Amino acid sequence: MVWKAEYRVGVQAPADTLWDLMSNLDTWPSWNPLYRKAKGVIRIGELLTLEQHLPGQEPQILQPRVLDWAPRDHIHWETPHFRGLASGVRYIELEVHGEESCILSNGELYHGPLAGFLQKRRRTLRTAFTEMGEALKMKAEEVWAAEKASA
């Protein structure tokens, strides 16, 4: 079984501004309501340590492995569930639409024989991805406005 939860939003800021926020885990606690603590290096094969805060649930420590990343484009990581019988591939992706505009996609694709058991979390995940996407949008637009004002 395969299913996904996703949130997409337009952002009025350059891809570089979004990428700087996305790729710097040290800054995540200042803007990210979903992952309030984040450690690690965004490099293929590396383990990250993320403190995930899903709405209405206790915080959970995740240790996903980075699958892929490309500057100003995407970050993908994978978290196994049920001893590997289900897996979630988390993604944060940018689609450039102009010098100062992007589409931000923020979601997770679940697969594996037991992935259906995780589907009850779909609404909660969609809410969390929406909150994270809107927070990243707001922060990126704020940073970009400040950069333009100081130029």
Side-chain angles (χ1 to χ4, degrees):
M1 170 171 219
V2 176
W3 65 274
K4 76 175 179 177
E6 179 182 61
Y7 180 71
R8 293 172 52 89
V9 65
V11 181
Q12 295 302 307
D16 286 344
T17 302
L18 277 158
W19 180 255
D20 289 346
L21 293 165
M22 287 169 45
S23 63
N24 186 347
L25 297 179
D26 292 337
T27 67
W28 281 24
S30 71
W31 63 264
N32 195 330
L34 180 55
Y35 302 109
R36 296 183 192 165
K37 293 181 184 173
K39 293 181 184 172
V41 177
I42 297 175
R43 185 172 36 223
I44 294 172
E46 292 291 322
L47 282 176
L48 305 177
T49 301
L50 307 174
E51 185 179 276
Q52 178 176 268
H53 292 257
L54 292 174
Q57 297 182 15
E58 292 294 318
Q60 181 182 11
I61 301 298
L62 303 177
Q63 290 198 297
R65 186 169 304 280
V66 177
L67 295 176
D68 194 25
W69 70 276
R72 291 176 265 351
D73 191 73
H74 69 270
I75 302 170
H76 298 168
W77 66 77
E78 184 171 33
T79 304
H81 301 276
F82 306 120
R83 298 185 183 186
L85 293 174
S87 190
V89 176
R90 184 78 169 85
Y91 57 89
I92 308 170
E93 299 176 340
L94 298 176
E95 183 179 325
V96 177
H97 279 268
E99 288 184 24
E100 297 180 14
S101 64
C102 300
I103 300 290
L104 170 68
S105 298
N106 168 36
E108 192 156 8
L109 177 68
Y110 290 91
H111 60 91
L114 298 183
F117 289 105
L118 296 167
Q119 217 169 6
K120 65 184 177 193
R121 299 171 33 163
R122 183 176 276 184
R123 182 173 292 162
T124 301
L125 289 168
R126 172 103 166 111
T127 299
F129 297 158
T130 298
E131 290 173 356
M132 180 180 163
E134 288 294 328
L136 181 51
K137 169 189 167 80
M138 187 180 343
K139 185 67 173 178
E141 289 176 348
E142 173 188 302
V143 168
W144 178 237
E147 287 177 11
K148 286 192 336 185
S150 68

